[in-house]
């Protein structure tokens, strides 16, 4: 028995639909995407593992025995996807309890970085190196205040006397 083209196409469609749903902002859609993609990968893995055969019992002809390894790997993948689904479902339920919806919000820091990139601004942490004050290249030459004494950042040899 040769692998069926219909099963391979069905696996590809499941993976494509799963990836599309993974790109959504709702946790329930992400959950559905994980489940669809996982089932599609399992289906493709079983299709690629070869034809179906007899159970691997001693005494059976070797040419007719099915390989048990892909079946064991798919069974393990099913258990892992069940645990992942339970985690996403719990996260979605908790998000709905706290916020009234299960959509993932933008992180504040990500929003700031995106706005800076759109405005083409440099980061506040970046300081132009100043050759007259410090030779430290790791911190960009900026100075760090240590008990009212200004010393180059990262330069342990230049500690002020007390």
């Amino acid at each position: 028995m040769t692998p069926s083209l219909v099963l391979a196409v069905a696996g590809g469609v499941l993976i494509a639909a799963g990836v599309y749903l993974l790109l959504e902002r709702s946790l329930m859609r992400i959950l559905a995407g994980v489940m669809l993609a996982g089932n599609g990968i399992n289906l493709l893995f079983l299709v690629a593992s070869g034809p179906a055969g007899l159970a691997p019992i001693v005494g059976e002809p070797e040419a007719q025995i099915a390989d048990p390894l892909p079946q064991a790997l798919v069974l393990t993948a099913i258990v892992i996807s069940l645990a992942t689904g339970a985690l996403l479902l719990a996260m979605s339920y908790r998000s709905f309890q706290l916020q009234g919806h299960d959509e993932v919000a933008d992180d504040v820091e990500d929003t700031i970085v995106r706005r800076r990139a759109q405005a083409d601004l440099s980061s506040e942490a970046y300081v132009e190196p100043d050759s007259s004050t410090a030779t430290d290249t790791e911190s960009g030459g900026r100075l760090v205040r240590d008990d009212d004494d200004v010393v180059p950042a990262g330069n342990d040899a230049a500690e002020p006397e007390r």
Side-chain angles (χ1 to χ4, degrees), residues 23-36:
L23 298 175
E24 297 291 327
R25 300 194 61 88
S26 170
L27 286 174
M28 289 304 291
R29 290 183 182 180
I30 292 171
L31 173 65
V34 167
M35 292 296 149
L36 282 176

Side-chain angles (χ1 to χ4, degrees), residues 33-50:
V34 167
M35 292 296 149
L36 282 176
N39 287 334
I41 289 169
N42 290 343
L43 182 61
L44 284 180
F45 194 68
L46 285 178
V47 167
S49 68

Side-chain angles (χ1 to χ4, degrees), residues 36-117:
L36 282 176
N39 287 334
I41 289 169
N42 290 343
L43 182 61
L44 284 180
F45 194 68
L46 285 178
V47 167
S49 68
L54 300 174
I57 300 174
V58 177
E60 298 289 338
E62 284 187 33
Q64 296 177 354
I65 293 178
D67 187 10
L69 182 63
Q71 297 171 16
L73 291 175
V74 168
L75 185 62
T76 304
I78 290 170
V79 171
I80 292 171
S81 75
L82 177 69
T84 304
L87 176 71
L88 281 170
L89 193 59
M91 286 175 46
S92 176
Y93 179 69
R94 185 64 178 161
S95 175
F96 186 78
Q97 278 185 332
L98 294 176
Q99 301 171 356
H101 57 82
D102 68 340
E103 290 188 12
V104 178
D106 281 339
D107 187 32
V108 176
E109 293 296 324
D110 289 342
T111 305
I112 292 170
V113 169
R114 184 175 55 245
R115 286 183 185 157
R116 284 184 185 275

Side-chain angles (χ1 to χ4, degrees), residues 142-154 160 162:
R142 69 182 159 185
L143 301 177
V144 177
R145 188 164 292 281
D146 182 26
D147 294 340
D148 298 328
D149 295 323
V150 177
V151 296
R162 299 190 189 244

Side-chain angles (χ1 to χ4, degrees), residues 128-150:
E128 288 291 330
D130 187 7
S131 62
S132 64
T133 58
T135 59
D136 182 29
T137 58
E138 187 173 339
S139 64
R142 69 182 159 185
L143 301 177
V144 177
R145 188 164 292 281
D146 182 26
D147 294 340
D148 298 328
D149 295 323
V150 177

Side-chain angles (χ1 to χ4, degrees), residues 9-19 33 36-41 43:
V9 170
V13 168
L14 285 173
I15 291 173
V19 168
L36 282 176
N39 287 334
I41 289 169
L43 182 61

